[in-house]
Amino acid sequence: MRNIELKARLADLDAARETAGRIATKRLGVQEQVDTYFHCGHGRLKLRQIDGLSAQLVWYARPNEHGPKASDYQLVPVSNPETLKAALAAALGVRGVVRKRREVFLCENVRIHLDEVEGLGTFLEFEAVLGPQVDDAAGHGQLERLVETFALGAGDLLPDSYGDMVG
């Protein structure tokens, strides 16, 4: 699986929420998430636990660059997250834990995340999900248009994951 993504520091959460609500084709609601990042030799590995939803093991690889970038990823449903977390912590070691409140909007194939991350602040994230109808170039174009729509400046764009920021 592959997407094009972008993360930015967010100065005005309310303004971003208004913009997201105006352009969204669907609002998916609010999630309380805990991501436990593990050391790994290639890419990033995290266990995502979301209140009220099933957990997922997420592996992904993407460059640390400002602006839109490709991310290759794999998702694995997890039925016993605490046992898996203990096993991965013993085998690989925990790199960091990220707790966040995430509001999720869809704008066609692009997920818009408004994140309040414990200890880090507020952020905006775009993920253009790629597939037969949307290739890398189209995904980059979608995110570039959203950067304009949300009036993000070059200084707002971040290269790192939340796991990098806390780890």
Side-chain angles (χ1 to χ4, degrees):
M1 299 173 73
R2 185 175 176 87
N3 65 27
I4 306 298
E5 63 182 55
L6 173 144
K7 186 184 311 295
R9 192 162 296 281
L10 189 55
D12 189 340
L13 181 62
D14 291 332
R17 185 179 294 118
E18 187 278 324
T19 300
R22 181 172 38 82
I23 66 170
T25 52
K26 189 172 186 180
R27 184 181 173 145
L28 299 180
V30 177
Q31 301 175 347
E32 298 292 331
Q33 299 183 354
V34 178
D35 291 340
T36 303
Y37 285 81
F38 301 95
H39 296 283
C40 72
H42 174 68
R44 294 174 175 92
L45 183 67
K46 66 184 174 186
L47 176 64
R48 170 161 291 162
Q49 295 171 276
I50 304 172
D51 283 352
L53 298 174
S54 61
Q56 292 181 319
L57 185 65
V58 181
W59 171 86
Y60 65 102
R62 65 166 174 72
N64 283 355
E65 299 172 351
H66 293 83
K69 57 198 142 283
S71 178
D72 295 302
Y73 62 98
Q74 305 237 348
L75 305 174
V76 179
V78 174
S79 59
N80 194 334
E82 293 304 322
T83 302
L84 179 61
K85 187 189 314 184
L88 290 172
L92 304 173
V94 173
R95 188 168 164 220
V97 177
V98 174
R99 290 176 175 79
K100 65 181 169 286
R101 178 185 186 276
R102 170 170 279 179
E103 292 179 67
V104 183
F105 300 82
L106 288 180
C107 182
E108 299 173 5
N109 63 301
V110 179
R111 294 185 291 244
I112 300 170
H113 301 153
L114 304 180
D115 293 339
E116 297 174 79
V117 183
E118 185 178 289
L120 295 178
T122 55
F123 301 87
L124 175 65
E125 186 175 77
F126 304 135
E127 294 177 346
V129 179
L130 304 182
Q133 307 301 320
V134 181
D135 63 9
D136 279 40
H140 277 277
Q142 289 175 309
L143 268 52
E144 288 165 7
R145 286 187 295 280
L146 286 171
V147 164
E148 292 176 17
T149 300
F150 281 84
L152 299 173
D156 299 322
L157 306 183
L158 300 171
D160 300 321
S161 73
Y162 298 135
D164 296 332
M165 293 180 204
V166 301

